[in-house]
């Protein structure tokens, strides 16, 4: 059973207009606060792939799905559950104009990056308490 005492105020509602995100830091935990048509959500600020700041990404939604895409390699995650919906996009750049040693560097980096896993992300319960947005932060063990 949740009590309002379990929730920490992270922002005022007007600091996160509809269709925007705000990075908040709560007790050392980085969280992206999102507003979708007046409904607030909270998800890890750091991407489950390589820690890019998700609040710099994009929100997309329709009647069935709400997702956030990473600004760095565009992996997508379900805003409500944190589940990964699509993998990062790690290729597609035309490097033919670059010097051979630079092409080799990017090729090697790409091989190493292909082993990096993309994890689901954590989401957090959010309440709007008289225009104070509060998030429930799990206690650390
Ligand atoms: S850091 Fe987010 S998809 Fe790579």
């Amino acid at each position: 059973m949740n009590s309002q005492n379990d929730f920490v105020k992270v922002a005022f509602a007007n600091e996160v207009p509809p269709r925007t995100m705000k990075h908040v830091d709560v007790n050392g935990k980085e969280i992206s606060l999102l507003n979708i048509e007046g409904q607030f959500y909270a998800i890890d600020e750091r991407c489950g792939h390589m820690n890019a700041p998700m609040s710099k990404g994009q929100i997309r939604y329709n009647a069935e799905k709400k997702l956030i895409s990473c600004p760095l390699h565009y992996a997508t995650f379900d805003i409500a559950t944190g589940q990964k919906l699509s993998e990062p996009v790690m290729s597609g750049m035309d490097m033919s104009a670059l010097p051979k040693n630079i092409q080799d560097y990017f090729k090697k980096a790409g091989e190493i990056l292909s082993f990096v896993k993309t994890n689901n992300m954590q989401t957090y319960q959010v309440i709007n308490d008289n225009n104070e947005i509060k998030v429930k932060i799990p206690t650390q063990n």
Side-chain angles (χ1 to χ4, degrees):
M1 186 80 157
N2 293 324
S3 102
Q4 286 214 7
N5 295 334
D6 297 332
F7 289 80
V8 177
K9 179 193 164 221
V10 294
F12 289 104
N14 65 5
E15 294 177 70
V16 193
R19 297 174 181 253
T20 69
M21 295 180 266
K22 179 180 175 64
H23 170 204
V24 294
D25 196 319
V26 189
N27 302 334
K29 193 157 205 50
E30 292 185 276
I31 292 174
S32 294
L33 197 59
L34 303 89
N35 179 342
I36 298 180
E37 306 297 340
Q39 179 73 48
F40 290 88
Y41 297 85
I43 191 168
D44 283 335
E45 167 68 355
R46 295 294 163 179
C47 179
H49 180 227
M50 294 178 70
N51 290 331
M54 296 301 289
S55 61
K56 305 293 185 200
Q58 288 192 325
I59 300 170
R60 285 182 278 149
Y61 60 94
N62 58 31
E64 285 90 43
K65 198 159 278 185
K66 301 171 182 67
L67 63 87
I68 183 171
S69 62
C70 175
L72 190 55
H73 307 116
Y74 313 108
T76 59
F77 302 87
D78 185 304
I79 287 169
T81 66
Q83 182 181 6
K84 177 181 62 179
L85 299 175
S86 69
E87 295 288 341
V89 178
M90 300 297 290
S91 61
M93 234 174 89
D94 178 9
M95 295 190 292
S96 60
L98 297 174
K100 171 106 174 61
N101 63 331
I102 302 296
Q103 289 183 37
D104 290 346
Y105 168 80
F106 278 117
K107 185 176 178 203
K108 181 70 177 166
E111 287 169 14
I112 292 168
L113 288 173
S114 71
F115 292 103
V116 176
K117 282 184 165 183
T118 304
N119 298 305
N120 293 331
M121 295 174 52
Q122 185 167 0
T123 57
Y124 305 88
Q125 289 180 266
V126 183
I127 57 173
N128 183 344
D129 180 17
N130 289 320
N131 291 319
E132 290 188 347
I133 307 304
K134 298 178 178 178
V135 175
K136 184 177 182 186
I137 307 296
T139 51
Q140 306 276 332
N141 291 332

